[in-house]
Amino acid sequence: MDGSSDPEVAVRRRHWAAYEDFVRVHGDSLVRLSFALCGDRGRAEDATQEALTRLYLRWGRIDEPLPYARRCVVNATNDQWRRLGRQERRDATVAQQPVDPPAPLDDLVADRDRLLQAMRRLPHGQRAVIVLRYWHQLSEPETAQVLGNSVGTVKSQASRALGRLREELASDSPAKRGSTHERVPDHRGPAFRAG
Amino acid sequence: MNESQIIGDLHSALDDEARDVHVPPGAAQRARIRGRRRRTARGLLAGVPAVALAAGLVIAAQGHSGPGTRPAGTGAGAAGGTTGRAAGTTTARPKAETAAYVVKQVEAVLANENQYISREVTNSYQGGTYTSWTDPRTGSAYAVQGTGSAKVLSWNSAYFVHRVLHWRTTEADYSTRTWFVSVIHAAGPVQGPLTKPADGGTLTPAELKRWLAAGTMRVVGHGYVNGHHAIELRARLGIITQIFWVDAQTFLPVREIKEFGRGLGGDLVFNDSWIPRTAALVNIANHPQIPAGFTRVPAPR
């Protein structure tokens, strides 16, 4: 039986071609979104793979695949994080903290590192808002669409997240820290509470 | 540091950090393979899991007619699904609680499964809470997933055509206001006697019987699950580990967990309850009712 003349087969082929195109065009952006959220390349790749699978299952039945794909990535990254055992999560968080960072760190690099660490200590929802709003530069309604929230929630989460980042960076500034060795309890505290 | 500085720094920091991160080669192809596997698993699981379990366990305990240990009021008590049950019996029979013993009790209680509609609730699927109502007499099921404009309704049934098992899904999607009918079938005809179509999924009675015989199925322990003091049974089929929780008093299944091997996605967790049959439930479980104004489209593959 020649399936090529079957209109359903033709539709499926078109869907598959469009899906492949989508992954080719947006795949890097999606895996980077996951990476920005979790900070781990392997987990980002796994979460993105899961998100692409979910997208595949809905392909052809969604009008706007990119917001849906972003949503899948955000959710899959969060799901994966939740699946980590408490101990592993705690270890992973602690492991990210420089126990004894090299003293002559360039200020710019050090600030950047502190900023990323602080961002990754934010609750998942706030972190997703920050990444989507200020890195992917989505509008508030677009961010709300991706996260399945209201625009009001996006605004309040963005505001809280920025406030918290500012507080953390202020409390973590070299002037207040005094010595780099004091960073250990500073970082372990929130990490253990979060775990 | 003010907010605009934070935003600017964060932007450039993420740009730098993620610059070398790329989607792995073959991701689309892998997604297609996994999606197909998952769709098949979902088709098998969504329509018939409770019945497959029930029928499987009945046959697995073949030869043990069972005294019918289900106490009065089991159905009503189990129907709520989250109603607490009397405790204190979970440690009363430690020696008797082999898998064979528990299966025998489940057999007795599920001899009356046809008087119920089984309801399953899971949050394991993308798209929101998935609730299905299965008619054990036909194996057909109705399911609702999500809410509002993201709601999806589906009807699943299984049947034989020339000894080849077919699964039929009708699905109505509120986000697109469309519906479709999809039919998939097994690779070849069933050899030997035909059992109920609902037995043709992952959990065949023969497999359950083999698990029992080979010691694959075992009683793991006790716990408080879905509002029930329950016994945990565990078995393994290839890359799938199957976990059953049955009420320690009534022996009705209250939770089913499928743990998939690496690469096949997350675990699937189903909470079961047993509802007395009503005409409305029987009707909705067996007959697709497409909402008015929906447009039929080809089934996605």
Side-chain angles (χ1 to χ4, degrees):
Chain A
M1 175 98 48
D2 179 14
S4 60
S5 60
D6 184 339
E8 198 173 324
V9 172
V11 167
R12 286 206 300 270
R13 283 180 181 160
R14 277 202 301 275
H15 278 180
W16 170 242
Y19 177 82
E20 273 193 313
D21 270 351
F22 178 88
V23 174
R24 194 161 43 244
V25 172
H26 297 291
D28 284 354
S29 154
L30 293 174
V31 76
R32 285 169 189 170
L33 169 60
S34 178
F35 179 70
L37 292 172
C38 71
D40 182 293
R41 187 183 296 241
R43 290 199 175 115
E45 289 178 359
D46 286 349
T48 305
Q49 187 66 63
E50 169 61 20
L52 290 175
T53 303
R54 294 175 187 178
L55 176 68
Y56 175 81
L57 286 166
R58 299 279 289 181
W59 192 260
R61 289 186 285 150
I62 41 179
D63 294 331
E64 296 179 87
L66 185 54
Y68 183 79
R70 283 176 173 147
R71 184 175 191 164
C72 289
V73 167
V74 171
N75 289 340
T77 306
N78 191 35
D79 290 350
Q80 203 179 47
W81 184 252
R82 275 195 308 227
R83 270 203 292 269
L84 288 174
R86 175 185 290 260
Q87 182 64 42
E88 189 184 350
R89 191 166 61 219
R90 188 174 65 187
D91 290 347
T93 308
V94 172
Q96 287 171 7
Q97 317 307 326
V99 173
D100 192 5
L105 267 182
D106 176 76
D107 278 352
L108 179 65
V109 174
D111 286 348
R112 182 170 289 184
D113 179 61
R114 279 197 290 275
L115 183 57
L116 290 174
Q117 300 291 357
M119 187 199 75
R120 295 206 169 105
R121 283 196 295 270
L122 292 172
H124 174 74
Q126 292 180 16
R127 193 163 68 241
V129 166
I130 287 290
V131 169
L132 291 166
R133 270 294 277 129
Y134 302 122
W135 188 44
H136 274 227
Q137 299 192 308
L138 301 188
S139 66
E140 284 168 344
E142 286 170 334
T143 305
Q145 184 191 15
V146 168
L147 296 177
N149 291 336
S150 67
V151 171
T153 302
V154 168
K155 283 181 180 173
S156 68
Q157 286 196 319
S159 170
R160 281 180 196 158
L162 287 173
R164 193 158 161 179
L165 285 179
R166 205 169 48 216
E167 281 172 22
E168 287 223 20
L169 292 173
S171 68
D172 197 31
S173 67
K176 290 198 175 184
R177 216 171 51 234
S179 157
T180 53
H181 292 277
E182 291 175 17
R183 290 188 72 185
V184 177
D186 285 351
H187 284 78
R188 286 166 64 94
F192 274 81
R193 280 199 297 277
Chain B
M1 190 181 273
N2 63 32
E3 289 188 355
S4 57
Q5 270 180 303
I6 291 176
I7 292 167
D9 285 356
L10 200 55
H11 195 284
S12 57
L14 285 171
D15 271 349
D16 286 348
E17 201 186 40
R19 182 172 294 131
D20 295 329
V21 177
H22 301 282
V23 68
Q29 192 64 36
R30 269 195 301 282
R32 179 156 81 159
I33 292 166
R34 290 181 188 183
R36 284 175 168 175
R37 282 180 188 159
R38 202 170 297 179
R39 187 178 284 143
T40 304
R42 176 177 165 169
L44 295 174
L45 294 170
V48 293
V51 177
L53 167 64
L57 293 180
V58 165
I59 293 180
Q62 200 171 15
H64 303 279
S65 57
T69 54
R70 183 170 60 87
T74 294
T82 56
T83 309
R85 306 206 64 77
T89 59
T90 52
T91 56
R93 319 176 274 271
K95 288 182 180 174
E97 267 183 6
T98 61
Y101 169 82
V102 175
V103 164
K104 185 177 172 183
Q105 307 311 313
V106 175
E107 171 203 13
V109 67
L110 289 183
N112 295 318
E113 61 158 344
N114 281 354
Q115 69 190 33
Y116 303 118
I117 293 288
S118 76
R119 182 182 66 190
E120 282 198 326
V121 182
T122 180
N123 288 308
S124 300
Y125 298 140
Q126 172 73 14
T129 301
Y130 184 97
T131 307
S132 67
W133 293 263
T134 302
D135 181 351
R137 295 185 189 178
T138 62
S140 298
Y142 162 62
V144 178
Q145 186 171 24
T147 57
S149 61
K151 188 161 66 176
V152 176
L153 311 180
S154 60
W155 289 263
N156 297 282
S157 57
Y159 53 92
F160 286 105
V161 176
H162 302 305
R163 304 183 69 85
V164 176
L165 188 55
H166 285 62
W167 293 273
R168 179 189 179 92
T169 298
T170 303
E171 190 169 298
D173 188 337
Y174 277 75
S175 66
T176 56
R177 298 185 67 78
T178 59
W179 67 283
F180 66 83
V181 177
S182 165
V183 177
I184 60 174
H185 57 78
V190 171
Q191 305 298 319
L194 296 180
T195 54
K196 277 196 303 185
D199 297 347
T202 308
L203 293 170
T204 65
E207 281 161 347
L208 278 167
K209 201 173 177 181
R210 274 204 302 276
W211 291 340
L212 265 181
T216 314
M217 181 181 282
R218 61 196 169 89
V219 173
V220 175
H222 286 229
Y224 194 70
V225 166
N226 199 18
H228 301 257
H229 289 284
I231 303 165
E232 181 183 0
L233 291 156
R234 190 176 280 247
R236 190 168 176 82
L237 171 65
I239 54 172
I240 299 175
T241 298
Q242 183 84 38
I243 302 166
F244 307 115
W245 289 90
V246 300
D247 187 294
Q249 274 197 308
T250 68
F251 294 99
L252 278 167
V254 293
R255 179 170 289 174
E256 181 188 355
I257 301 172
K258 281 185 182 299
E259 292 180 349
F260 289 85
R262 185 172 171 78
L264 284 176
D267 301 344
L268 298 176
V269 181
F270 303 91
N271 288 314
D272 300 322
S273 52
W274 302 80
I275 307 170
R277 297 172 72 86
T278 65
L281 278 174
V282 170
N283 188 42
I284 193 72
N286 288 283
H287 303 292
Q289 294 166 26
I290 306 300
F294 278 45
T295 306
R296 184 168 182 174
V297 295
R301 295 284 178 177

